[in-house]
């Protein structure tokens, strides 16, 4: 199709994230955060809150859609909790970036995450999450995560049934959890050890591969029933077993499919970097590789710990304003030059206990 411009996969990862450490970032103050309507009830009580970035604005995401993420969008997820026996509200704030989210959406999500952090008196631990590379903490919030193609505005609720774009959902897992992901409607992607649902708006076909397990089949059937109820009983739902009158299902799998990039680190050696302006200007340098110990961290500087599956930005209590405000930017720029630019990033202050960080360092 001539003239068709396809969105670039993970286009935002090549941005310079100039927002952080810039004049724009320094204007993020608590007073301005108080004027953001979306933050009116943010972090007031224990629980999960999610917002979607829509044209540079923060819009509340419906609670019934918690766990659904569209690959063309960006989201902010706030988890408010209390430690056992404690009274203080604590927070983890994540900005989630879809595969085809734009640099503008990514920048807005990052900016607004800083704004929310400021509003909550810098108590939250900030996290960057990327589609398909989410941290275990992020995944723990949801009974299931659905990764869906397009943007939220392309969903069934926003288009006429006759204009609905068919989608293929892949169900893979076991009794410990079934993962749901929208994939291209391409026959070559079928794995007969799994289950799939072809959603055509007013017609739903569940295809059970010969080797699929009961957990996948049950989860898919429950999911399909949920769609029917959500659409007020209008769709017709059918269950097909592989090889048994599944020709109509297979004929619909005629969509082109692009190979996905892996973005997994080839070298798994843990590395520690220091960000310091002790010399009069910011200097980013490798501190060590291999075993990293608690004693390797200096309260006067920022450190970036790369475990190759996750990155932690550790901010010492005595860091300068320049070091602190540039910490996330340097982590982002560092990851751009690696073979694993999409791993989760967590930004935490000295003294905060984070299980994943504690597990990555030696005593």
């Amino acid at each position: 199709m001539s003239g068709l411009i396809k969105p670039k996969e993970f286009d935002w990862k090549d941005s310079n994230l100039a927002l952080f450490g810039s004049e724009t970032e320094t204007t993020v103050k608590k007073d301005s955060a108080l004027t953001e309507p979306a933050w009116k009830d943010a972090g007031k009580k224990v629980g999960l809150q999610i917002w979607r970035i829509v044209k540079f604005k923060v819009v509340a995401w419906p609670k019934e859609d918690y766990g659904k993420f569209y690959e063309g969008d960006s989201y902010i997820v706030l988890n408010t909790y209390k430690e056992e026996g404690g009274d203080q509200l604590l927070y983890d704030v994540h900005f989630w970036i879809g595969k085809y989210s734009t640099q503008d959406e990514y920048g807005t999500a990052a900016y607004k995450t800083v704004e929310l952090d400021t509003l909550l008196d810098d108590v939250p631990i900030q996290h960057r999450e990327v589609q398909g590379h989410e941290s275990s903490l992020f995944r723990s919030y949801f009974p299931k995560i659905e990764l869906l193609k397009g943007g939220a505005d392309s969903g069934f609720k926003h288009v006429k049934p006759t204009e609905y774009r068919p989608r293929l959902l892949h169900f893979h897992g076991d009794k410990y959890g079934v993962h749901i992901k929208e994939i291209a409607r391409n026959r070559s992607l079928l794995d007969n050890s799994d289950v799939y649902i072809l959603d055509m708006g007013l017609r739903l076909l569940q295809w059970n591969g010969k080797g699929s397990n009961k957990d996948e089949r049950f989860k898919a059937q429950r999911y399909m029933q949920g769609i029917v109820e959500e659409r007020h009983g209008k769709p017709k739902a059918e269950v097909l077993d592989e090889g048994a009158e599944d020709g109509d299902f297979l004929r619909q799998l005629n969509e082109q499919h692009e190979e996905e990039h892996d973005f997994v680190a080839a070298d798994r050696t843990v590395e520690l970097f220091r960000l310091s302006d002790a010399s009069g200007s910011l200097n980013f340098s490798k501190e060590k590789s291999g075993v990293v110990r608690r004693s390797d961290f200096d309260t006067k500087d920022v450190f970036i710990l790369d475990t190759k599956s996750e990155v932690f930005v550790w901010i010492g209590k005595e860091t300068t304003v320049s070091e602190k405000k540039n910490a996330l930017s340097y982590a982002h720029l560092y990851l751009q030059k690696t073979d694993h630019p999409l791993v989760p990033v967590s930004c935490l202050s000295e003294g905060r206990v984070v299980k994943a960080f504690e597990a990555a360092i030696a005593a």
Side-chain angles (χ1 to χ4, degrees), residues 17 66 100 110 173 202 208 242 272 275 318:
L17 202 63
Y66 279 18
Y100 295 109
L202 295 177
N208 298 328
E242 181 182 358
L272 182 67
L275 178 65
E318 298 177 31

Side-chain angles (χ1 to χ4, degrees), residues 34 51 70 113 134 170 226 266 271 299 312-313 328 340 344 358:
L34 287 169
W51 300 267
Y70 285 86
T113 297
E134 295 87 356
H170 178 200
E271 295 180 294
T299 190
F312 297 94
V313 181
L328 187 56
H340 53 288
E358 296 296 320

Side-chain angles (χ1 to χ4, degrees), residues 7-15 98-103:
K8 288 181 64 179
E9 183 182 37
F10 299 118
D11 179 48
W12 55 266
K13 73 177 175 60
D14 297 321
S15 68
K99 181 186 294 187
Y100 295 109
S101 182
T102 66
Q103 291 190 16

Side-chain angles (χ1 to χ4, degrees), residues 15-118:
S15 68
N16 61 15
L17 202 63
L19 174 71
F20 289 90
S22 67
E23 185 177 349
T24 303
E25 191 273 339
T26 62
T27 65
V28 179
K29 303 294 183 182
K30 191 168 185 176
D31 288 345
S32 64
L34 287 169
T35 65
E36 169 56 68
W39 303 149
K40 180 182 177 182
D41 297 315
K44 296 289 181 63
K45 59 183 181 180
V46 170
L48 201 64
Q49 294 169 280
I50 302 179
W51 300 267
R52 174 184 165 228
I53 303 302
V54 183
K55 297 179 180 178
F56 301 99
K57 294 184 178 180
V58 183
V59 178
W61 190 235
K63 288 189 180 296
E64 64 267 24
D65 289 334
Y66 279 18
K68 291 182 180 179
F69 296 94
Y70 285 86
E71 64 181 17
D73 294 333
S74 294
Y75 301 80
I76 293 175
V77 177
L78 175 67
N79 184 44
T80 303
Y81 66 98
K82 292 181 181 179
E83 290 182 339
E84 189 174 350
D87 294 324
Q88 182 187 4
L89 289 175
L90 300 174
Y91 314 94
D92 282 285
V93 57
H94 307 249
F95 59 102
W96 184 95
I97 312 301
K99 181 186 294 187
Y100 295 109
S101 182
T102 66
Q103 291 190 16
D104 287 342
E105 289 170 330
Y106 172 57
T108 302
Y111 175 94
K112 287 296 184 178
T113 297
V114 172
E115 186 179 80
L116 180 56
D117 176 83
T118 303

Side-chain angles (χ1 to χ4, degrees), residues 27-282:
T27 65
V28 179
K29 303 294 183 182
K30 191 168 185 176
D31 288 345
S32 64
L34 287 169
T35 65
E36 169 56 68
W39 303 149
K40 180 182 177 182
D41 297 315
K44 296 289 181 63
K45 59 183 181 180
V46 170
L48 201 64
Q49 294 169 280
I50 302 179
W51 300 267
R52 174 184 165 228
I53 303 302
V54 183
K55 297 179 180 178
F56 301 99
K57 294 184 178 180
V58 183
V59 178
W61 190 235
K63 288 189 180 296
E64 64 267 24
D65 289 334
Y66 279 18
K68 291 182 180 179
F69 296 94
Y70 285 86
E71 64 181 17
D73 294 333
S74 294
Y75 301 80
I76 293 175
V77 177
L78 175 67
N79 184 44
T80 303
Y81 66 98
K82 292 181 181 179
E83 290 182 339
E84 189 174 350
D87 294 324
Q88 182 187 4
L89 289 175
L90 300 174
Y91 314 94
D92 282 285
V93 57
H94 307 249
F95 59 102
W96 184 95
I97 312 301
K99 181 186 294 187
Y100 295 109
S101 182
T102 66
Q103 291 190 16
D104 287 342
E105 289 170 330
Y106 172 57
T108 302
Y111 175 94
K112 287 296 184 178
T113 297
V114 172
E115 186 179 80
L116 180 56
D117 176 83
T118 303
L119 177 68
L120 299 174
D121 297 321
D122 297 324
V123 174
I125 296 175
Q126 296 178 49
H127 307 265
R128 185 201 77 172
E129 309 282 352
V130 180
Q131 177 184 337
H133 301 263
E134 295 87 356
S135 65
S136 55
L137 175 64
F138 184 85
R139 290 184 173 278
S140 72
Y141 300 148
F142 308 100
K144 64 178 185 295
I145 289 180
E146 301 171 50
L147 302 178
L148 306 172
K149 290 184 175 294
D153 293 336
S154 65
F156 186 86
K157 296 177 184 176
H158 301 278
V159 298
K160 297 177 182 177
T162 54
E163 299 171 352
Y164 183 71
R165 178 188 63 80
R167 58 181 186 154
L168 183 65
L169 299 172
H170 178 200
F171 293 74
H172 172 77
D174 51 31
K175 63 181 180 181
Y176 299 107
V178 176
H179 185 63
I180 306 168
K181 180 181 180 181
E182 183 178 352
I183 62 173
R185 288 181 293 106
N186 187 291
R187 191 167 177 173
S188 68
L189 298 180
L190 290 185
D191 182 337
N192 68 1
S193 65
D194 292 330
V195 174
Y196 299 81
I197 288 178
L198 178 63
D199 176 5
M200 295 180 282
L202 295 177
R203 188 183 182 198
L204 306 169
L205 299 178
Q206 175 179 331
W207 186 86
N208 298 328
K210 290 180 179 178
S212 61
N213 61 52
K214 61 180 178 61
D215 299 292
E216 293 164 337
R217 297 182 183 207
F218 177 74
K219 176 70 75 171
Q221 195 152 10
R222 285 283 301 272
Y223 186 92
M224 193 161 61
Q225 290 171 354
I227 294 177
V228 172
E229 292 171 5
E230 186 179 84
R231 298 175 190 171
H232 309 293
K234 294 178 181 179
K236 179 182 178 183
E238 304 170 55
V239 178
L240 310 170
D241 291 322
E242 181 182 358
E245 299 183 356
D246 59 0
D248 198 17
F249 170 82
L250 297 175
R251 279 191 292 273
Q252 301 294 328
L253 307 187
N254 53 10
E255 188 177 43
Q256 288 190 338
H257 140 71
E258 295 181 357
E259 293 293 329
E260 295 187 355
H261 299 290
D262 201 359
F263 295 116
V264 175
D267 182 355
R268 308 294 292 180
T269 305
V270 174
E271 295 180 294
L272 182 67
F273 301 84
R274 182 193 293 257
L275 178 65
S276 174
D277 61 5
S279 65
S281 60
L282 279 172

